[in-house]
Amino acid sequence: MESIHEKNAKVFKAFCDEKRLAILELLRGGEKCACVLIDQMEIGQSSLSYHMKILCESGVVESRQDGKWTHYKLSESGSKYASELLIRLT
């Protein structure tokens, strides 16, 4: 069972990389296919997969499979949790 501190650490890890912050900014515009993120971020598929794994594990991003491509979007509940976590720390 994951502790609350482990869960919170995953949220902060999601926000502590400039590429992940750029991905989150792109996802603010709505759901995006991995192929679109690869093109817009100008990164390779393996690099995108690494960052998306961290973002999805944090709960801030959700994914769904459509054929061979994965689509990503911001998670409403995960984003709310992250916002409330930051507020509680102040």
Side-chain angles (χ1 to χ4, degrees):
M1 180 97 177
E2 183 177 62
S3 76
I4 190 71
H5 297 297
E6 290 170 320
K7 182 178 180 178
N8 292 346
K10 287 180 181 180
V11 171
F12 285 112
K13 183 177 181 178
F15 294 121
C16 72
D17 182 271
E18 64 187 71
K19 289 195 185 307
R20 289 192 288 274
L21 291 174
I23 291 167
L24 291 171
E25 184 69 27
L26 289 171
L27 293 177
R28 286 183 63 213
E31 183 179 81
K32 301 270 188 298
C33 175
C35 60
V36 171
L37 293 172
I38 288 169
D39 288 344
Q40 291 183 335
M41 293 291 300
E42 297 180 353
I43 59 176
Q45 189 275 328
S46 62
S47 181
L48 179 69
S49 292
Y50 169 77
H51 292 296
M52 297 315 295
K53 179 179 186 283
I54 292 169
L55 288 168
C56 288
E57 285 179 351
S58 76
V60 175
V61 172
E62 298 175 347
S63 67
R64 70 173 178 87
Q65 200 69 32
D66 184 19
K68 73 174 196 167
W69 289 108
T70 305
H71 295 258
Y72 298 98
K73 68 177 183 175
L74 294 176
S75 165
E76 188 175 323
S77 62
S79 297
K80 182 178 178 189
Y81 180 85
S83 296
E84 290 171 353
L85 174 60
L86 288 172
I87 290 169
R88 284 194 310 265
L89 292 174
T90 59

